[in-house]
Amino acid sequence: MDSLISRRNMLGSSALGMGALSLQSLFSDDGLLAADSSSNPAHDQLPHFPGTAKRVIHFFLNGGPSHVDTFDPKPELARHAGKLLTNTLTTERKTGAAFPSPFKFRKYGESGLEVSELFSRTAEHIDDIAVIRSMYAQVPNHEPSLMLMNCGDSIQARPSVGSWVMYGLGSENQNLPGFVAMCPGGLPIKDNENWQAGFLPGAYQGTYINSQHRELANLIENIEHPHISSASQRQQLKLLQNWNQKHAEIRKDDRLEARIHAYELAFRMQIGAAEVFDLNQEPKHIQEMYGNGVHGRQTLIARRLLERGVRYVQLWHGAGQPWDNHDNIADNHRKLADQLDPAISALLTDLKLRGMLEDTLVIWGGEFGRTPTVELTGSGNSKLGRDHNHWGFSIWMAGGGIKGGTIYGATDEIGFKAVENPTSVPDLHATILHTLGFDHERLTYRYAGRDFRLTDVHGRVIQEILK
């Protein structure tokens, strides 16, 4: 029997702490360890062509915001209010009559695009925004639709968009993760599968942060070692490195290499994270512009991460699926939008003032939309809410080479189905990668004897919304 303990068992049972193991990266900097750029997303990489974006921030409204109440006005619903419609489609639950939006729409900006009062602050930037009104998914269920939107496949476990971006571009800051997912209060549906690395090296997986907290120790678990000094950590890691070298002489395990890299990054974050998460370093007027609520704080943190070289930041609204408003959508959507709208507007203003909007891609949306018909109870009564709708919904993008003040595609007259320029999720992903300088058909990773890509065998770049 092999007398050497495996690194998996050693790491699993070790009490050295995440920060201690991560000191190994400092030895690499000093030339004490051999560097392995294949497992390190910080190494320099080049896109296929000059991109218009260098980084991405994605506001994810988990649960599914209603397009007909936000960015896709449908006056026909008011004309048919309370009447059963003949052109309805199959949804997950029973729905009834046409349900007009309880929110007012009006035109904004020089482009005159109509936006709901729910996002009136965001609408002030409509001339920088391209709204895709013809998105569609595959099924009206959260789990597969989340996987489709975030990982490109509703069935199989696949790498997330942020992981592909990391794989393609690498990171610009060795002291911070290149891909960060912030979700206040806990995890969304499907948990960390939404930012998984899949079959890509584990170093490309997103780092989760519970942004409801203010203290660094609560924001990032194990950011500080509670018991031993850096000098003691260095001694422990010298011993660890000797074990690693003996292990490497026998076998190599990419999963353990990824875990070691995560520990290395964690130690570096002890140096860099304290600064980036300290919002008191921001001028008072900037803090006030974003607001003191959790979404204002996490959006300001996101901007600080992006300007320090983080490639992909995903901002979730909260644990579970807060935008899944099957009932009382008027009150629930208003409450949620009030939490998010000022923060989005502040970010767009801030990025523009700093000259960052032109090379930062901003994305807004959820996993699907909601029905233009009202959802019914089991007894047939109105719930004053909307069911899931994968047939047609809206997302928007801004900055990063996007042609602002643009509408692309359309749903039918009541907002049930995408009928003009139907846009698939692979189309969206192909467009995101294009702004970053990648041909989505050429950004591949060989796994199990096949070259995989984010868009699989699908996807068309939406040139109509690009400058």
Side-chain angles (χ1 to χ4, degrees):
M1 180 180 294
D2 187 357
S3 61
L4 291 176
I5 185 173
S6 73
R7 282 190 294 175
R8 178 180 293 276
N9 292 334
M10 185 280 296
L11 292 174
S13 59
S14 173
L16 298 179
M18 185 176 288
L21 291 171
S22 305
L23 193 59
Q24 180 176 344
S25 64
L26 301 186
F27 300 161
S28 295
D29 291 343
D30 294 337
L32 300 177
L33 300 182
D36 179 8
S37 64
S38 65
S39 64
N40 181 5
H43 69 283
D44 293 334
Q45 301 189 69
L46 295 175
H48 298 142
F49 48 83
T52 53
K54 296 179 179 178
R55 62 194 77 86
V56 179
I57 180 169
H58 185 180
F59 290 93
F60 204 98
L61 284 64
N62 41 318
S66 169
H67 53 296
V68 299
D69 293 307
T70 53
F71 291 92
D72 191 4
K74 293 298 176 184
E76 283 297 310
L77 288 177
R79 299 189 184 100
H80 295 90
K83 300 177 182 178
L84 293 176
L85 302 172
T86 59
N87 54 340
T88 58
L89 299 168
T90 301
T91 56
E92 190 174 20
R93 296 167 182 80
K94 185 177 181 180
T95 65
F99 183 23
S101 176
F103 309 108
K104 296 179 180 179
F105 283 76
R106 75 176 182 87
K107 295 180 180 180
Y108 288 85
E110 294 183 4
S111 58
L113 300 188
E114 288 187 274
V115 180
S116 160
E117 62 182 293
L118 285 181
F119 286 95
S120 59
R121 299 277 296 275
T122 301
E124 296 171 359
H125 304 270
I126 198 65
D127 290 335
D128 296 311
I129 291 173
V131 182
I132 302 175
R133 289 179 173 170
S134 55
M135 292 296 305
Y136 66 91
Q138 296 173 347
V139 293
N141 306 102
H142 292 287
E143 291 82 355
S145 294
L146 281 165
M147 290 298 92
L148 178 65
M149 185 62 71
N150 286 303
C151 303
D153 195 299
S154 61
I155 301 174
Q156 301 293 323
R158 294 287 185 261
S160 59
V161 180
S163 294
W164 279 106
V165 171
M166 279 290 293
Y167 167 66
L169 285 179
S171 175
E172 292 185 312
N173 191 325
Q174 292 187 3
N175 295 334
L176 294 170
F179 174 20
V180 174
M182 286 190 269
C183 187
L187 297 170
I189 298 298
K190 296 296 285 186
D191 301 339
N192 58 12
E193 291 180 59
N194 291 286
W195 46 85
Q196 66 189 333
F199 48 69
L200 292 176
Y204 300 112
Q205 178 159 317
T207 297
Y208 165 66
I209 293 173
N210 187 344
S211 50
Q212 75 171 350
H213 299 294
R214 294 174 182 264
E215 299 79 13
L216 182 62
N218 293 326
L219 277 167
I220 308 173
E221 294 184 359
N222 303 319
I223 191 63
E224 298 175 350
H225 200 293
H227 303 300
I228 63 176
S229 67
S230 294
S232 297
Q233 293 179 40
R234 180 179 292 273
Q235 290 179 346
Q236 290 180 333
L237 284 176
K238 285 182 179 179
L239 175 61
L240 175 62
Q241 175 57 16
N242 289 333
W243 290 345
N244 287 339
Q245 289 175 338
K246 292 179 180 179
H247 176 90
E249 292 172 358
I250 301 173
R251 58 192 181 277
K252 179 178 175 63
D253 190 326
D254 291 338
R255 294 170 299 175
L256 296 181
E257 292 296 333
R259 181 177 291 187
I260 288 294
H261 173 76
Y263 292 147
E264 295 171 0
L265 175 60
F267 185 83
R268 293 185 184 276
M269 287 180 66
Q270 295 185 38
I271 302 171
E275 185 273 335
V276 74
F277 287 96
D278 182 6
L279 299 185
N280 290 324
Q281 296 188 19
E282 291 288 332
K284 185 176 180 181
H285 72 279
I286 294 293
Q287 296 183 51
E288 291 175 347
M289 181 172 69
Y290 280 89
N292 196 39
V294 64
H295 292 283
R297 294 200 314 273
Q298 79 167 7
T299 305
L300 181 50
I301 290 171
R303 191 222 75 205
R304 290 173 63 83
L305 289 168
L306 291 172
E307 67 183 346
R308 286 161 175 79
V310 174
R311 290 292 190 187
Y312 200 99
V313 179
Q314 196 170 39
L315 299 180
W316 295 75
H317 196 100
Q321 44 201 37
W323 284 85
D324 192 24
N325 298 157
H326 291 276
D327 52 10
N328 195 13
I329 199 168
D331 290 344
N332 290 325
H333 258 40
R334 186 179 296 279
K335 177 185 70 175
L336 294 166
D338 284 348
Q339 295 169 357
L340 198 57
D341 184 37
I344 296 174
S345 178
L347 176 75
L348 294 173
T349 297
D350 201 7
L351 291 177
K352 184 173 288 188
L353 289 173
R354 294 170 187 274
M356 291 177 61
L357 185 59
E358 61 187 24
D359 57 8
T360 301
L361 181 64
V362 184
I363 307 171
W364 176 100
E367 63 266 40
F368 44 50
R370 309 204 76 82
T371 58
T373 49
V374 71
E375 184 168 334
L376 304 176
T377 65
S379 58
N381 296 320
S382 171
K383 298 177 67 175
L384 297 178
R386 305 186 189 276
D387 193 18
H388 310 158
N389 182 17
H390 67 291
W391 300 103
F393 60 100
S394 299
I395 67 99
W396 61 254
M397 295 193 285
I402 297 298
K403 185 189 301 181
T406 303
I407 292 293
Y408 180 78
T411 52
D412 58 41
E413 64 178 8
I414 62 170
F416 225 126
K417 183 179 181 179
V419 294
E420 179 184 320
N421 295 323
T423 305
S424 68
V425 174
D427 294 338
L428 174 64
H429 290 165
T431 306
I432 292 171
L433 292 178
H434 181 86
T435 66
L436 294 165
F438 292 104
D439 179 344
H440 70 103
E441 295 183 352
R442 293 167 55 199
L443 184 64
T444 62
Y445 185 85
R446 193 157 192 83
Y447 171 72
R450 174 189 163 189
D451 289 332
F452 283 85
R453 69 189 209 215
L454 171 61
T455 53
D456 195 35
V457 296
H458 312 285
R460 181 190 78 88
V461 175
I462 311 169
Q463 295 287 350
E464 293 85 349
I465 67 170
L466 301 178
K467 291 181 180 179

Coordinates of all heavy atoms in Angstrom, one line a residue, residues 121 184 211-214 279-280 284-301 338-339 342-343 346:
R121 N -35.2 55.4 -12.6 CA -33.9 55.9 -12.4 C -32.9 55.3 -13.4 O -32.1 56.0 -14.0 CB -33.4 55.6 -11.0 CG -34.2 56.2 -9.9 CD -33.7 57.7 -9.6 NE -32.4 57.7 -9.1 CZ -32.0 57.6 -7.9 NH1 -32.9 57.4 -6.9 NH2 -30.7 57.8 -7.5
P184 N -27.0 38.4 -1.5 CA -27.2 38.7 -0.1 C -28.2 37.8 0.6 O -29.2 37.4 0.0 CB -27.8 40.2 -0.1 CG -28.4 40.3 -1.5 CD -27.5 39.5 -2.4
S211 N -23.3 39.2 0.5 CA -23.1 40.6 0.6 C -24.1 41.3 1.6 O -24.1 42.6 1.7 CB -23.3 41.3 -0.8 OG -24.4 40.8 -1.4
Q212 N -24.9 40.6 2.3 CA -25.7 41.2 3.3 C -24.9 41.7 4.5 O -25.3 42.6 5.3 CB -26.8 40.3 3.8 CG -26.3 39.2 4.8 CD -27.4 38.4 5.4 OE1 -28.6 38.8 5.3 NE2 -27.1 37.3 6.1
H213 N -23.7 41.2 4.7 CA -22.8 41.5 5.8 C -22.0 42.8 5.5 O -21.7 43.1 4.3 CB -21.9 40.4 6.1 CG -22.6 39.1 6.5 ND1 -23.4 39.0 7.7 CD2 -22.7 37.9 5.9 CE1 -23.9 37.8 7.8 NE2 -23.5 37.1 6.7
R214 N -21.5 43.4 6.5 CA -20.7 44.6 6.4 C -19.2 44.3 6.8 O -18.3 44.8 6.2 CB -21.2 45.7 7.2 CG -22.6 46.3 6.7 CD -23.1 47.3 7.7 NE -24.4 47.8 7.3 CZ -24.6 49.0 6.6 NH1 -23.5 49.7 6.2 NH2 -25.8 49.4 6.3
L279 N -15.8 50.3 2.2 CA -16.5 51.3 1.5 C -16.2 52.7 2.1 O -16.5 53.7 1.5 CB -18.0 51.0 1.4 CG -18.4 49.8 0.7 CD1 -19.9 49.7 0.6 CD2 -17.7 49.7 -0.7
N280 N -15.7 52.7 3.3 CA -15.4 54.0 3.9 C -14.3 54.8 3.2 O -14.1 56.0 3.4 CB -15.0 53.8 5.4 CG -16.1 53.4 6.2 OD1 -17.3 53.9 6.0 ND2 -15.9 52.5 7.2
K284 N -17.9 60.5 0.5 CA -19.2 60.5 1.1 C -20.3 60.6 0.0 O -21.3 59.9 0.0 CB -19.4 61.6 2.1 CG -20.7 61.5 2.8 CD -20.8 62.6 3.9 CE -22.2 62.5 4.7 NZ -22.3 63.5 5.7
H285 N -20.1 61.5 -1.0 CA -21.1 61.7 -2.0 C -21.3 60.4 -2.9 O -22.4 60.2 -3.4 CB -20.8 62.9 -2.9 CG -19.6 62.7 -3.9 ND1 -18.3 62.8 -3.5 CD2 -19.6 62.4 -5.2 CE1 -17.5 62.6 -4.5 NE2 -18.3 62.3 -5.6
I286 N -20.2 59.6 -3.1 CA -20.3 58.4 -3.8 C -21.1 57.4 -3.0 O -22.0 56.7 -3.5 CB -19.0 57.8 -4.2 CG1 -18.2 58.8 -5.2 CG2 -19.1 56.4 -4.8 CD1 -18.9 58.8 -6.5
Q287 N -20.8 57.3 -1.7 CA -21.6 56.4 -0.9 C -23.1 56.7 -0.9 O -23.9 55.9 -0.9 CB -21.0 56.4 0.6 CG -19.6 55.9 0.7 CD -19.1 55.9 2.1 OE1 -19.8 55.4 3.0 NE2 -18.0 56.5 2.4
E288 N -23.3 58.0 -0.8 CA -24.7 58.5 -0.8 C -25.4 58.2 -2.1 O -26.6 57.9 -2.1 CB -24.8 60.0 -0.4 CG -24.4 60.3 1.0 CD -24.3 61.8 1.3 OE1 -24.4 62.5 0.3 OE2 -24.2 62.1 2.5
M289 N -24.7 58.3 -3.2 CA -25.3 58.1 -4.5 C -25.7 56.6 -4.7 O -26.8 56.4 -5.2 CB -24.3 58.4 -5.6 CG -24.8 58.2 -7.0 SD -23.7 58.8 -8.3 CE -22.3 57.6 -8.2
Y290 N -24.9 55.7 -4.2 CA -25.3 54.3 -4.2 C -26.3 53.9 -3.2 O -27.1 53.0 -3.4 CB -24.1 53.4 -4.1 CG -23.2 53.2 -5.3 CD1 -22.2 54.1 -5.6 CD2 -23.4 52.2 -6.2 CE1 -21.4 54.0 -6.7 CE2 -22.7 52.0 -7.3 CZ -21.7 53.0 -7.6 OH -20.9 52.8 -8.7
G291 N -26.3 54.6 -2.0 CA -27.2 54.3 -1.0 C -26.7 53.3 0.0 O -25.7 52.5 -0.3
N292 N -27.3 53.2 1.2 CA -26.8 52.4 2.3 C -27.5 51.0 2.3 O -27.1 50.2 3.2 CB -27.0 53.1 3.6 CG -26.1 52.5 4.7 OD1 -25.0 52.1 4.5 ND2 -26.7 52.4 5.9
G293 N -28.4 50.8 1.4 CA -29.0 49.5 1.4 C -28.1 48.4 0.9 O -27.0 48.7 0.3
V294 N -28.5 47.2 1.1 CA -27.6 46.1 0.7 C -27.3 46.1 -0.8 O -26.1 45.8 -1.2 CB -28.2 44.7 1.1 CG1 -29.5 44.4 0.3 CG2 -27.2 43.6 0.8
H295 N -28.2 46.5 -1.7 CA -27.9 46.5 -3.1 C -27.1 47.7 -3.5 O -26.2 47.5 -4.4 CB -29.3 46.5 -3.9 CG -30.0 45.2 -3.7 ND1 -29.7 44.1 -4.4 CD2 -31.1 44.9 -2.9 CE1 -30.5 43.1 -4.0 NE2 -31.3 43.5 -3.1
G296 N -27.2 48.8 -2.8 CA -26.3 49.9 -3.1 C -24.9 49.5 -2.7 O -23.9 49.8 -3.4
R297 N -24.7 48.9 -1.5 CA -23.4 48.5 -1.0 C -22.8 47.5 -1.9 O -21.6 47.6 -2.3 CB -23.5 48.0 0.4 CG -23.9 49.0 1.5 CD -23.5 48.5 2.9 NE -23.8 47.2 3.2 CZ -25.0 46.7 3.6 NH1 -26.0 47.6 3.8 NH2 -25.2 45.4 3.9
Q298 N -23.5 46.4 -2.3 CA -22.9 45.4 -3.1 C -22.6 45.9 -4.5 O -21.6 45.4 -5.1 CB -23.7 44.1 -3.1 CG -24.9 44.1 -4.1 CD -25.5 42.7 -4.2 OE1 -25.1 41.7 -3.6 NE2 -26.5 42.5 -5.1
T299 N -23.3 46.8 -5.0 CA -23.1 47.4 -6.3 C -21.8 48.3 -6.3 O -21.0 48.2 -7.2 CB -24.3 48.2 -6.9 OG1 -25.4 47.3 -6.9 CG2 -24.0 48.7 -8.3
L300 N -21.6 49.0 -5.2 CA -20.4 49.8 -5.0 C -19.2 48.9 -4.9 O -18.1 49.2 -5.4 CB -20.6 50.8 -3.9 CG -19.4 51.7 -3.6 CD1 -18.9 52.4 -4.8 CD2 -19.8 52.7 -2.4
I301 N -19.4 47.8 -4.1 CA -18.3 46.9 -4.0 C -17.9 46.3 -5.4 O -16.7 46.1 -5.7 CB -18.6 45.7 -3.0 CG1 -18.7 46.3 -1.6 CG2 -17.6 44.6 -3.1 CD1 -19.3 45.3 -0.6
D338 N -37.6 49.0 -6.2 CA -37.1 50.1 -5.3 C -35.7 49.8 -4.7 O -34.9 50.7 -4.4 CB -38.1 50.4 -4.2 CG -39.4 51.2 -4.8 OD1 -39.3 51.7 -5.9 OD2 -40.4 51.2 -4.0
Q339 N -35.5 48.6 -4.4 CA -34.2 48.2 -3.8 C -33.1 48.2 -4.9 O -31.9 48.5 -4.5 CB -34.3 46.7 -3.3 CG -35.3 46.6 -2.1 CD -35.5 45.1 -1.8 OE1 -35.0 44.2 -2.4 NE2 -36.3 44.9 -0.7
P342 N -32.2 52.4 -7.8 CA -31.2 53.5 -7.6 C -29.7 53.0 -7.7 O -28.9 53.7 -8.1 CB -31.5 53.9 -6.1 CG -32.9 53.4 -5.9 CD -33.1 52.2 -6.7
A343 N -29.5 51.7 -7.3 CA -28.1 51.2 -7.4 C -27.6 51.1 -8.8 O -26.5 51.4 -9.1 CB -28.0 49.9 -6.6
A346 N -26.9 54.5 -10.2 CA -25.7 55.0 -9.6 C -24.5 54.4 -10.3 O -23.5 55.1 -10.6 CB -25.7 54.8 -8.1

